[in-house]
Amino acid sequence: MSIHASSDQVREDTADMGTTAFTTKAVYGNSSSLLIATRPPGYHSRPHRHDCEQLNWLQSGTLWVMIEDRAILLQKGDFLRIPAGERHWSWNRSDVPAVLVEVHTPGLQDDPLVKDFAVALFDDDEPREYLGSPVNEFLPDDEDFDPAVAERQVR
């Protein structure tokens, strides 16, 4: 590969989260990963956290994002930052897909959700010197984070 990949070189695949799934394209470099994630109507992820900062831009649709005890409604064009280590999850309550652009620093290229299809953007002779390689940590339902609290905020 190289520092450039055409759209057809970055395949869209399914990121299976166990209880739900979304489709995504993923690329990465030394410092960050970039995902274009399409969350279908009704998508509801499990609470999770990761040791990387996440920047989001909602390209289309609407999406509720819960961060710790806050519920934030993203609408087309909105931006959001999820600090590293914060418990969060998202919910597409609409009847249309929501397309979210996600940047993670350090990158999530080794996360089981995307590692089999994420595309490295490196020249052949370029060293790979990752800042780190965090992964999603899904939280048990009995964790002190109660999704029902956030769900009541969005009703």
Side-chain angles (χ1 to χ4, degrees), residues 1-3 17 28-29 55 62 67 69-70 75 79 94 111 131 142:
M1 193 54 66
S2 75
I3 61 171
M17 299 180 82
Y28 63 94
L55 298 176
T62 60
I67 304 171
D69 61 352
R70 294 188 291 182
Q75 299 188 49
F79 294 87
S94 77
D111 188 272
L131 284 180
D142 60 353

Side-chain angles (χ1 to χ4, degrees), residues 71-92:
I72 300 165
L73 175 61
L74 294 182
Q75 299 188 49
K76 180 182 177 180
D78 287 353
F79 294 87
L80 175 69
R81 176 180 162 263
I82 300 172
E86 295 281 307
R87 292 176 287 190
H88 62 283
W89 56 281
S90 62
W91 186 9
N92 181 356

Side-chain angles (χ1 to χ4, degrees), residues 1-3 20 28 30 47 51 53 58 73 76 78 82 85 88 93 126 129 137 140 143 145 149 155:
M1 193 54 66
S2 75
I3 61 171
T20 191
Y28 63 94
N30 280 322
D51 289 330
E53 180 175 71
L58 191 65
L73 175 61
K76 180 182 177 180
D78 287 353
I82 300 172
H88 62 283
R93 297 186 69 213
E126 183 180 0
E129 300 171 354
E137 173 192 357
E143 180 91 9
F145 179 70
V149 171
R155 285 191 162 68

Side-chain angles (χ1 to χ4, degrees), residues 9-16 22-28 35-36 109 111-120:
Q9 291 174 303
V10 182
R11 70 181 167 106
E12 185 172 62
D13 210 322
T14 301
D16 185 356
F22 61 93
T23 58
T24 188
K25 288 185 167 205
V27 297
Y28 63 94
L35 280 67
I36 309 298
Q109 67 274 359
D111 188 272
L113 293 175
V114 298
K115 74 177 184 177
D116 291 340
F117 59 89
V119 174

